[in-house]
Amino acid sequence: MLKRILTTSAALALSAGAASADYSLTILHTNDFHARFEPVSKYDSGCSAEDNTEGKCFGGSARLVTAVEAARTRSNNSILVDGGDQFQGTLFYTYYKGKLAAEMMNKMGYDGMTVGNHEFDDGPEVLRGFMDAVDFPVLMSNADVSGEPLLHDKLAKSTVIERGGEKLGLIGATPQNTAELSSPGDTVVFSDPIEAVAGEVAKLTEMGVNKIIVLSHLGYNKDQEIAAAVDGIDVIVGGHTNTLLSNTNERAAGPYPTVVGGTQILSAYAYGKFLGELNVTFDDNGVVTEAVGEPIIMDADVHEDEGTVARIAEAALPLDEIRNKIVANTAEAIDGSRENCRYTECQMGNLVADAMLARVKEQGIQVALANGGGLRASIDAGEVTQGEVLTVLPFQNTLATFQVDGATLKAALENGMAQFDDPEDDGRFPQVAGIKYVVQSGNATGERVTEIMIDMDGTWTPLDLSKDYGVVSNNFVRSGGDGYKMFREAKNVYDFGPDLADVTAEYLAAHAPYTPYLDGRITVK
């Protein structure tokens, strides 16, 4: 534990000097933006121009520009920071990679950002290009990048900025399991974020910095752990779990700020739907004496900056032919919400798994497995565009087919349930087709999945641990992503099938109007 202790000499100097003055700072923040440069619907997917005109849409860079400018006028001393995952989520990222994110963040005048796991989706090269393009520090404390030539001279663990005549220490933190969640390569070695953050706090404190802000992409519960374990952190700006903290919203996971051991923890959901705004006051020793605020919803009441609207429309032109193509229609909205698809059977999981299995069933495949974290949005009722499908499935994953025995398949399902003893979901929950199973969530890790049945030519048959089964997943999961390392040694592997989004769009078209459903293939007890 790190302690701020005034030495006798420092105390004497303080008492002998002028009267101490409080220092006030407004912290504006975002997290998990995921390339939502245009407004989004209540389902976090695309929102039409007509719906936007009618006031049904949220977020978008143009609203954030307005909201940030307005917030700055309310404060004579502010910073704007981000909790990671600007990358990935829409065709904007697929086409521009990090370039448009850098442009918009520079336009808004960000002061710092932590690396999220999705910043590694296209390896260190794209991350380095983004870092070269932005006008602010991008930070990550809990990784050794000395072996990665693209990052070792660029990616700092922490930094010091000045605002209002005072020094502010910023520290970045990234999930320790980023190597499973993304594609950083073998040259970046991640470590325990608590130890890493503690080390940076100690360094900054020794430098005389007594106002320290951690930019964290670790998730709400991990943020609380760090706040309890490491003294000296004033504020944690969070991300990764898309957590909404609020004092007014009934769906909030906790108060804004959530206070643990004197540390103020912040998080503003995701996708640009909110701009976090905390007004914090420090005494002369850098101790927080007051912290009040609330995330501001980016709804129709926030005017869209016209210049930004025009720039995003210009950037969208190369994408429009693809994403505006109508591919199907649905009778009802399809639920792809994070809170369902990462914990239990969900409608979007059934759709995607069914589509995968239907595409390759004639190749001797019995089972489809899709990681719940790969499903990124819901789809509303009515016409479905290719753009909506790509928002749900943005990662350009391909279908991967392979064979494993029943014991390996059970191990894979158990891996998918490993999150039940860690409330920080990480996306590994298996949405399935051609198989059904029961989850005993109270059991120990590795002993949670029971009553596994396989559809063998129309007959539900108990899983045979020694029998080989044909499986379809995506290439990310097949190569060990989200902890599915048991699939790396599979037989008869083919990782280069069609794009998962295309497969799903074609399945929707073949079953239009599609009606979403649940059928009890996953039972959680």
Side-chain angles (χ1 to χ4, degrees):
M1 298 285 283
L2 304 172
K3 299 294 181 183
R4 294 180 182 148
I5 303 172
L6 280 175
T7 64
T8 302
S9 59
L12 289 171
L14 184 60
S15 63
S20 63
D22 288 344
Y23 172 77
S24 296
L25 177 70
T26 299
I27 300 174
L28 307 173
H29 60 98
T30 54
N31 59 276
D32 299 281
F33 185 69
H34 286 300
R36 299 306 206 273
F37 301 104
E38 293 178 320
V40 298
S41 71
K42 64 181 180 180
Y43 300 107
D44 300 331
S45 59
C47 203
S48 69
E50 292 77 14
D51 283 348
N52 196 35
T53 300
E54 294 175 11
K56 298 178 181 179
C57 303
F58 303 85
S61 296
R63 285 193 177 92
L64 282 174
V65 166
T66 299
V68 167
E69 289 178 355
R72 285 179 174 142
T73 65
R74 295 191 289 270
S75 171
N76 61 0
N77 199 38
S78 65
I79 62 172
L80 173 62
V81 292
D82 186 76
D85 273 6
Q86 282 281 328
F87 285 15
Q88 198 63 266
T90 68
L91 269 179
F92 283 104
Y93 178 77
T94 304
Y95 190 84
Y96 293 103
K97 300 305 178 185
K99 293 177 182 178
L100 191 58
E103 179 184 338
M104 287 295 113
M105 294 183 84
N106 285 341
K107 181 181 180 74
M108 293 181 221
Y110 276 79
D111 295 288
M113 171 186 171
T114 189
V115 177
N117 51 287
H118 284 291
E119 267 70 69
F120 280 110
D121 276 359
D122 286 283
E125 182 177 1
V126 171
L127 173 57
R128 175 60 188 257
F130 171 78
M131 294 176 68
D132 286 341
V134 297
D135 301 330
F136 53 85
V138 179
L139 307 168
M140 181 171 68
S141 64
N142 60 309
D144 180 359
V145 297
S146 61
E148 175 46 64
L150 289 169
L151 300 178
H152 76 87
D153 63 342
K154 185 71 173 179
L155 184 54
K157 296 177 182 293
S158 63
T159 194
V160 178
I161 64 173
E162 290 197 11
R163 195 57 40 90
E166 293 286 331
K167 293 180 178 179
L168 308 174
L170 305 180
I171 303 169
T174 304
Q176 189 172 356
N177 63 338
T178 290
E180 294 181 357
L181 303 177
S182 189
S183 304
D186 298 329
T187 57
V188 181
V189 181
F190 296 87
S191 61
D192 179 6
I194 294 179
E195 293 181 8
V197 168
E200 294 305 299
V201 171
K203 183 178 78 173
L204 292 169
T205 303
E206 190 171 339
M207 293 167 56
V209 179
N210 65 3
K211 301 171 186 67
I212 295 176
I213 302 167
V214 174
L215 309 181
S216 164
H217 196 74
L218 302 174
Y220 182 46
N221 286 296
K222 195 69 176 182
D223 289 343
Q224 293 176 78
E225 287 182 33
I226 289 180
V230 183
D231 195 19
I233 302 172
D234 296 298
V235 179
I236 297 177
V237 175
H240 189 48
T241 46
N242 296 14
T243 301
L244 176 62
L245 300 180
S246 171
N247 304 310
T248 60
N249 191 308
E250 63 182 14
R251 299 183 66 182
Y256 182 97
T258 296
V259 183
V260 176
T263 299
Q264 319 296 312
I265 300 172
L266 317 177
S267 184
Y269 184 56
Y271 312 125
K273 277 191 171 180
F274 295 85
L275 173 68
E277 181 181 29
L278 182 76
N279 299 298
V280 59
T281 302
F282 301 84
D283 68 16
D284 206 49
N285 299 325
V287 176
V288 174
T289 59
E290 185 180 35
V292 294
E294 180 73 11
I296 306 163
I297 191 165
M298 298 292 101
D299 60 11
D301 290 338
V302 181
H303 174 73
E304 292 181 282
D305 175 73
E306 293 180 4
T308 307
V309 170
R311 174 65 186 109
I312 298 301
E314 178 186 32
L317 288 176
L319 318 178
D320 283 344
E321 182 178 354
I322 299 172
R323 63 182 185 164
N324 291 337
K325 178 183 178 182
I326 297 171
V327 296
N329 59 81
T330 64
E332 302 169 14
I334 308 171
D335 174 33
S337 62
R338 180 188 185 106
E339 56 265 31
N340 287 330
C341 292
R342 297 191 181 206
Y343 285 98
T344 189
E345 177 188 358
C346 74
Q347 293 174 348
M348 191 66 73
N350 286 356
L351 164 62
V352 172
D354 286 349
M356 295 165 68
L357 185 57
R359 185 60 173 258
V360 296
K361 192 174 180 66
E362 296 305 314
Q363 301 174 24
I365 303 298
Q366 291 91 28
V367 175
L369 188 154
N371 53 322
L375 311 176
R376 309 301 291 191
S378 301
I379 291 177
D380 55 5
E383 291 182 341
V384 180
T385 65
Q386 184 74 9
E388 287 181 290
V389 178
L390 287 165
T391 299
V392 175
L393 301 162
F395 299 113
Q396 298 179 284
N397 290 138
T398 56
L399 258 62
T401 55
F402 51 96
Q403 285 185 316
V404 293
D405 61 24
T408 302
L409 192 52
K410 183 179 189 303
L413 295 176
E414 292 288 1
N415 169 72
M417 298 307 128
Q419 66 190 34
F420 275 99
D421 60 358
D422 180 355
E424 297 296 351
D425 61 86
D426 60 4
R428 66 182 64 197
F429 188 95
Q431 300 291 333
V432 297
I435 183 172
K436 58 184 178 182
Y437 61 91
V438 174
V439 183
Q440 304 288 346
S441 57
N443 288 4
T445 302
E447 301 175 359
R448 292 180 173 141
V449 182
T450 62
E451 301 178 44
I452 305 169
M453 305 290 285
I454 308 291
D455 182 1
M456 300 297 292
D457 298 321
T459 301
W460 288 103
T461 306
L463 180 74
D464 183 338
L465 297 181
S466 62
K467 178 182 174 62
D468 283 348
Y469 295 94
V471 180
V472 60
S473 189
N474 61 65
N475 61 312
F476 171 73
V477 167
R478 213 289 305 163
S479 61
D482 276 341
Y484 286 95
K485 297 177 182 178
M486 67 290 299
F487 288 158
R488 290 177 179 171
E489 304 303 321
K491 297 181 290 187
N492 298 323
V493 171
Y494 185 73
D495 287 335
F496 309 105
D499 185 281
L500 179 55
D502 291 339
V503 169
T504 302
E506 291 168 12
Y507 185 85
L508 278 169
H511 294 80
Y514 180 80
T515 300
Y517 70 99
L518 302 176
D519 60 7
R521 62 185 70 179
I522 305 172
T523 303
V524 179
K525 294 182 178 180

